[in-house]
Structures are given as C-alpha cells and as structure tokens.
Amino acid sequence: MKTTIKMLLLSTVLTTGLSGCKASNEALPQADDGYQTYIHTGDSFKHLQFTDIKNQAVRFDANHKKLVILFATWCSDSQRLLSELKQSELLTQAELTIVAIGREETNTTLEQFNETMQLPIHFVADPNRDIYNTYANKGIPRVILLDERNRVMQTLIGEQPNTLSKLNWN
C-alpha cells in the first residue's frame, strides 16, 4: 500500500513538474496560468543588438522582420518548437532574422544544444534572465515577431504543438 502511494505521488510530481517547462522555483499555473507578457503588439522591442554564441554581432536593422524565441534547452516544449522551426519554411525566408535567446543558458550549453539541433540561426545566452525578464514573467518558449521597425507584430507562448503555424508574419 505504501509503495503504491509513493508511486502515485512520484508520478504526480513528475507529471506536474514537467508540464509547461517552468523552472523549479516557479509556481505551477493557476486557472489563469499567471503568465504575464510585458511587451504587446505595437510596442518597440528594447534589445536591438546582441552578441551570439559565435561572438558575432547581431543587429536588428530596418530591412528585415525578426523572430525572437525565448527558450531553454532542457524544456521539452522549447525542444519541440525548435524542431518545428527546423522543419519550417521560416528558415528559408531571407527577409527574416531569427534569434533564439536561451533563458538561464550559457554559450557552452547553447553550443552543445545546437550541435544536436543544427539550426542556422543566432543563439544568444541569457544566463541571468536579464533579457527574458524584460518581456515576460514565466513560461517558455515565448515567440515574439517583430516588423522591420522592431515593433511587435505578435507574441505567442509555445507550449502547444504547431505554435509557429499561428504566426502572422506576412
């Protein structure tokens, strides 16, 4: 009996703890999920240049739309979204700059992740959540689509399959 109860408790902890890719210090979502997005359609994106994991400068110029993905390598929803990106037409769009910002990640963890993923995009480390905290309070992956003037066109939380198909980027 005690073994059965322990197994049920362990199963519950694992199931709820892995849903939604929340860090261990984040509370599980309530009925309204508690997710806050601090940037909205029409707002200007605050970060206009980054240094990626290859030490290349990435500047958000006025000639391209941008797709910013806030994610974590350990998150199954983030892994799924980036796998979907790998299979999508978005990678073939010359007028689209794609930047994936690794929340609580280092250059090393992102380099290791992309050795497996093999995505031809810019990866940027955000080890202390400095970038992430500007745009949201919790929940990954986050997708932010920007126009040529770096204004937000759309924001999405990518915890469900096929999030990228919901982008209105044309």
Side-chain angles (χ1 to χ4, degrees):
M1 179 72 171
K2 287 182 181 180
T3 303
T4 303
I5 291 172
K6 286 180 185 177
M7 293 300 289
L8 285 171
L9 286 173
L10 179 61
S11 174
T12 302
V13 167
L14 288 175
T15 303
T16 58
L18 294 177
S19 66
C21 292
K22 290 160 204 54
S24 59
N25 63 345
E26 293 180 304
L28 293 173
Q30 303 303 313
D32 68 351
D33 76 25
Y35 292 176
Q36 294 180 12
T37 302
Y38 304 140
I39 191 163
H40 303 91
T41 302
D43 289 350
S44 293
F45 198 74
K46 293 172 178 42
H47 293 84
L48 301 180
Q49 78 178 38
F50 302 97
T51 301
D52 72 10
I53 62 173
K54 296 177 181 175
N55 207 31
Q56 295 177 333
V58 180
R59 290 185 180 83
F60 282 4
D61 63 27
N63 298 322
H64 295 93
K65 290 182 180 175
K66 295 91 181 168
L67 181 63
V68 177
I69 301 169
L70 303 169
F71 81 107
T73 61
W74 54 265
C75 171
S76 60
D77 292 330
S78 294
Q79 293 167 7
R80 185 196 64 255
L81 183 117
L82 290 171
S83 291
E84 290 171 3
L85 175 63
K86 188 173 181 175
Q87 304 302 319
S88 79
E89 293 179 10
L90 295 172
L91 293 179
T92 65
Q93 304 302 319
E95 67 278 4
L96 182 67
T97 300
I98 303 173
V99 176
I101 300 171
R103 184 184 86 175
E104 298 175 9
E105 301 285 351
T106 64
N107 284 356
T108 302
T109 60
L110 292 175
E111 287 166 0
Q112 291 169 347
F113 177 77
N114 202 34
E115 282 178 19
T116 303
M117 192 62 69
Q118 293 294 307
L119 275 165
I121 64 175
H122 297 282
F123 284 91
V124 174
D126 185 21
N128 300 315
R129 287 187 174 206
D130 295 330
I131 300 168
Y132 180 85
N133 287 338
T134 302
Y135 303 106
N137 70 330
K138 64 181 177 177
I140 48 175
R142 296 278 187 145
V143 178
I144 305 170
L145 182 63
L146 307 174
D147 67 13
E148 295 85 353
R149 296 177 300 146
N150 302 312
R151 295 205 180 272
V152 176
M153 295 174 64
Q154 189 175 10
T155 64
L156 299 168
I157 299 175
E159 292 181 346
Q160 300 300 318
N162 303 313
T163 297
L164 297 175
S165 67
K166 297 173 186 158
L167 285 174
N168 299 318
W169 80 282
N170 291 321

